[in-house]
Amino acid sequence: MEIDGAVDFFNAYLDAEYAEAVAARSEPDQVLDERRRASEAFMYAAPGVVMSSVIGRGRGWSAEKLSEYAQTVHQVARRVLFLVAEYRHSEWDRLFAGYASGPRPRITGSYGQLLYAAEIEGQPKIIAQYAPEILEPAPPMRWSHAQGAEIGDPGRPVAIRALAEPTLQEHRQDWIALRDSMA
């Protein structure tokens, strides 16, 4: 996989994640299960670690309860993919990092998720998810391991695709520094 393929891969995952989030607020269990399977098809759990969707709701909701909850679907947004960086990693070889926004309309201008992907048996898969450390000042951005493989310091990027600039000042400064690290 090349970096442009990684951009397409991360965007396809973010589309599937958004469809799952909408289904969690508006669709019956069967549809939500299908959307979850679709988003989790992008993931790979290394032996001994968990890598799964974190979107959900209780099962067996009545049509009335689901209809009420569907009124909140406007609170879900498709994440923005800000940047994809490629690294050479000692364990994963070609490792791709996807910096994405938060999943709500009010926070799509700030970092909300860092995903790492690698090729597993010839297919790109998300192998780790990190969350921004909101109690630590940025820049530089600090990330907390959420699930999947623990990556550690990936080193210096070998390729970068800057796609959209965050609007939150601290995250924009971090994004610019990462984007310009290839110059």
Side-chain angles (χ1 to χ4, degrees):
M1 175 168 62
E2 300 296 324
I3 194 161
D4 292 330
V7 169
D8 293 342
F9 172 77
F10 285 124
N11 272 317
Y13 167 72
L14 295 175
D15 289 342
E17 180 197 53
Y18 176 67
E20 181 185 1
V22 169
R25 291 177 182 263
S26 62
E27 298 291 347
D29 292 346
Q30 180 182 3
V31 174
L32 176 56
D33 291 345
E34 290 171 15
R35 300 295 186 270
R36 180 172 294 116
R37 281 191 296 276
S39 69
E40 287 183 341
F42 287 86
M43 300 175 185
Y44 169 80
V49 299
V50 173
M51 191 69 215
S52 64
S53 171
V54 296
I55 298 169
R57 66 154 195 264
R59 296 193 59 78
W61 283 20
S62 68
E64 182 179 296
K65 186 174 181 180
L66 191 55
S67 178
E68 282 180 35
Y69 195 43
Q71 301 302 312
T72 68
V73 78
H74 67 279
Q75 296 174 5
V76 176
R78 196 247 193 218
R79 292 180 193 266
V80 174
L81 184 60
F82 295 123
L83 183 141
V84 174
E86 179 182 352
Y87 299 91
R88 294 292 182 262
H89 193 266
S90 60
E91 183 178 352
W92 298 100
D93 190 30
R94 294 178 86 177
L95 182 68
F96 297 90
Y99 294 78
S101 75
R104 308 235 185 294
R106 290 186 174 192
I107 56 174
T108 58
S110 62
Y111 284 150
Q113 186 177 66
L114 170 57
L115 300 168
Y116 284 101
E119 283 192 24
I120 307 296
E121 298 178 2
Q123 295 293 316
K125 295 288 181 178
I126 295 170
I127 59 168
Q129 178 184 2
Y130 283 71
E133 185 56 61
I134 60 173
L135 299 178
E136 296 289 330
M141 193 67 202
R142 290 175 179 79
W143 295 92
S144 296
H145 179 256
Q147 65 173 338
E150 291 201 44
I151 302 302
D153 181 4
R156 185 179 168 93
V158 298
I160 290 178
R161 287 294 179 272
L163 304 164
E165 200 170 314
T167 57
L168 184 66
Q169 180 62 25
E170 296 85 0
H171 295 177
R172 183 174 40 247
Q173 290 171 347
D174 189 81
W175 181 89
I176 289 168
L178 183 56
R179 178 199 67 193
D180 294 349
S181 68
M182 293 297 303

